[in-house]
Amino acid sequence: MYVCGACGYGEYGRSVNDGDVAAVSRRLYRNGARCGACYQIKCTEEECNEDGVRVVVTDQGESRDDSDFILSVQAFAKMAKPGMEHNLKAYGHVNVEYQRIPCQFPANNLMLKIDERSHYPNYLAFVFYYQASFYDITAVEIFEVYMDLFN
């Protein structure tokens, strides 16, 4: 499964949060406002552990069964009790409980990447990494500052 596209993370989306990532449904995606959001997800099957897994949203996607989340294989396996990963994967999809949680990236601060692969020459696209909070970034203001570098 590829869960790196709609949020602009590209290949980096495979490794953010040590690969514990998810694509979310259109309903949760909110036109990209939930990119980088963190969720604690726990499944309710007998094979599931009590803690679940903490994931970062890196993509938007739809599933056949109208799921809210499409987890990376690694994140899906982390919801299982030790030794039950294979049994949990055999389900294919499971019922989950989830809640939005603040992201925590101990070794990183908010980072802004300018997406140089924009398809529109007059369009400037940004991707935010390591947004360590509970809130969505819904707007950004940019202003131009002229500096006299020779004074």
Side-chain angles (χ1 to χ4, degrees), residues 57 64 66 84 150:
V57 174
R64 288 179 288 185
D66 201 30
M84 301 297 279
F150 300 105

Side-chain angles (χ1 to χ4, degrees), residues 83-96:
M84 301 297 279
E85 298 85 359
H86 193 345
N87 295 1
L88 187 62
K89 286 181 186 179
Y91 281 105
H93 69 274
V94 294
N95 291 322
V96 298

Side-chain angles (χ1 to χ4, degrees), residues 68-87:
D68 285 333
F69 294 91
I70 303 170
L71 301 181
S72 65
V73 173
Q74 175 180 309
F76 192 88
K78 282 189 178 177
M79 292 191 300
K81 292 177 182 173
M84 301 297 279
E85 298 85 359
H86 193 345
N87 295 1

Side-chain angles (χ1 to χ4, degrees), residues 1-2 6 9 18-19 30 33-34 38-39 43 45 58 60 67 69 72 74 77-78 84 90 93 100 106 110 136 148:
M1 173 188 3
Y2 186 76
Y9 284 86
D18 294 327
R30 295 187 54 218
R34 292 286 164 85
C38 294
Y39 289 88
C43 60
E45 306 299 334
T58 60
Q60 186 270 325
S67 298
F69 294 91
S72 65
Q74 175 180 309
K78 282 189 178 177
M84 301 297 279
H93 69 274
R100 175 96 184 256
L110 182 65
D136 299 330
D148 185 356

Side-chain angles (χ1 to χ4, degrees), residues 9-23:
Y9 284 86
E11 283 301 312
Y12 174 70
R14 294 179 187 271
S15 62
V16 68
N17 196 38
D18 294 327
D20 294 337
V21 296

